Amino acid sequence: QSALTQPPSASGSPGQSVTISCTGSSSDVGGYNYVSWYQQHPGKAPKVMVYEVNKRPAGVPDRFSGSKSGNTASLTVSGLQAEDEADYYCSSYAGSNNFVFGSGTKVTVL
Amino acid sequence: QVQLVESGGGSVKPGGFLRLSCAASKFIFSDYYMSWIRQAPGKGLEWVSYISSSGSAISYTDSLKGRVTISRDNAKNLLYLEMNSLRAEDTAVYYCARGSRYCSGGTCDPNFYFDFWGQGTLVTVSS
C-alpha cells in the first residue's frame, strides 16, 4: 500500500495547460480503471474532479481531463485559471476494498 | 445536498483512545459504502478504512490494522472510527467520505471514488 507517485509541484500561466502524472503499479493504477483525481484548496475538504480515469462529475469544467496508460494516470488542466491553484491528489482502487492516494501535487498559476 | 459532519476529534496523549463519529444526512446512508481518510498537517491524503453499506465488509490500511476499528449504525446514520494506542504520527485531520456508486437497470455497483467529503475533525496526539 505505497502511495502513488506524483510530482511535488507543477505550474503554468493563465490560459496554459498543466499535466500531472500519477504512477502506481499493476496492483492499483494499472489493474483497474478506477483512478480518480481530487482538488484541495487550503483548509478545505478535497473535491473530486475526475473519476474512472476520464469521467467528470456534474459541475466540473471540461478544462479538467484524465487519462491512463499502463501504470501511470494523468490529469490535464487546460486553460488554467487562478482558481485552479490548489493541491491535486490522484487515487486508485487497489482491490479487496482497498484504496491508495497519490503523494499530491501543488499547482501554481503564475 | 449530501451532508457529512465529523466529530470526536481533540487532543489526546500518546497511548490514548478516541472515537470519531460522522453524521450523515440528505441521502440514504444504508445504500452507500463509506471510508475514513486522514491528512497529517502539511501532508497528503491517506486512506484509512472502508466499510460496506451493510457493514459486513471492512478493510484497513496495513499501517493501522489492529489499532483502528470502523463501524456504522445505519439506523442512526452514523459512521464511526475507534482509534487506540494513539501515536504522535496519528495527528491529522480525519475525513469521512461517501463512496460513489453507479446504478443502472435497478442494480448499483461501486465505482470506487469518493463523491462527498465532510469538513474533517482534527486529532492531535501529544504529551
Side-chain angles (χ1 to χ4, degrees):
Chain A
Q1 291 179 331
S2 300
L4 307 176
T5 301
Q6 297 180 233
S9 63
S11 62
S13 299
Q16 289 187 331
S17 295
V18 65
T19 297
I20 304 165
S21 62
C22 168
T23 301
S25 70
S26 58
S27 298
D28 38 63
V29 175
Y32 305 93
N33 286 324
Y34 291 122
V35 176
S36 49
W37 290 89
Y38 301 86
Q39 177 191 66
Q40 186 181 34
H41 288 109
K44 300 295 187 181
K47 172 188 173 184
V48 63
M49 305 303 283
V50 168
Y51 67 98
E52 290 185 40
V53 177
N54 57 12
K55 297 179 181 178
R56 281 185 307 276
V60 172
D62 60 6
R63 303 185 293 103
F64 292 84
S65 62
S67 63
K68 189 185 89 166
S69 178
N71 296 338
T72 298
S74 298
L75 174 73
T76 297
V77 186
S78 306
L80 268 174
Q81 298 183 5
E83 59 262 36
D84 299 332
E85 185 161 296
D87 293 326
Y88 290 83
Y89 296 91
C90 60
S91 178
S92 176
Y93 182 63
S96 301
N97 299 319
N98 290 282
F99 298 81
V100 61
F101 280 92
S103 47
T105 298
K106 181 176 181 59
V107 169
T108 301
V109 180
L110 301 171
Chain B
Q1 178 72 320
V2 168
Q3 289 188 359
L4 297 168
V5 180
E6 301 92 338
S7 60
S11 185
V12 62
K13 288 182 167 48
F17 169 89
L18 270 181
R19 187 172 87 155
L20 307 182
S21 300
C22 171
S25 60
K26 308 282 180 70
F27 68 101
I28 302 174
F29 181 64
S30 59
D31 280 350
Y32 291 84
Y33 70 93
M34 301 291 294
S35 270
W36 287 98
I37 296 153
R38 71 180 181 178
Q39 185 171 35
K43 302 296 184 182
L45 300 172
E46 179 185 20
W47 172 76
V48 171
S49 183
Y50 156 102
I51 187 167
S52 65
S53 56
S54 67
S56 61
I58 284 172
S59 60
Y60 301 103
T61 189
D62 287 344
S63 62
L64 289 171
K65 280 180 185 174
R67 293 201 298 121
V68 297
T69 302
I70 192 171
S71 61
R72 65 191 296 161
D73 185 333
N74 283 346
K76 296 182 178 178
N77 291 348
L78 288 169
L79 175 72
Y80 302 105
L81 185 71
E82 295 183 345
M83 302 185 294
N84 56 53
S85 303
L86 283 162
R87 307 166 182 169
E89 53 265 37
D90 296 319
T91 295
V93 173
Y94 286 74
Y95 295 100
C96 68
R98 190 181 84 165
S100 181
R101 62 179 195 162
Y102 172 75
C103 298
S104 176
T107 61
C108 298
D109 295 301
N111 50 359
F112 301 117
Y113 72 97
F114 304 107
D115 56 0
F116 289 95
W117 299 58
Q119 284 305 301
T121 186
L122 177 62
V123 172
T124 303
V125 184
S126 173
S127 54

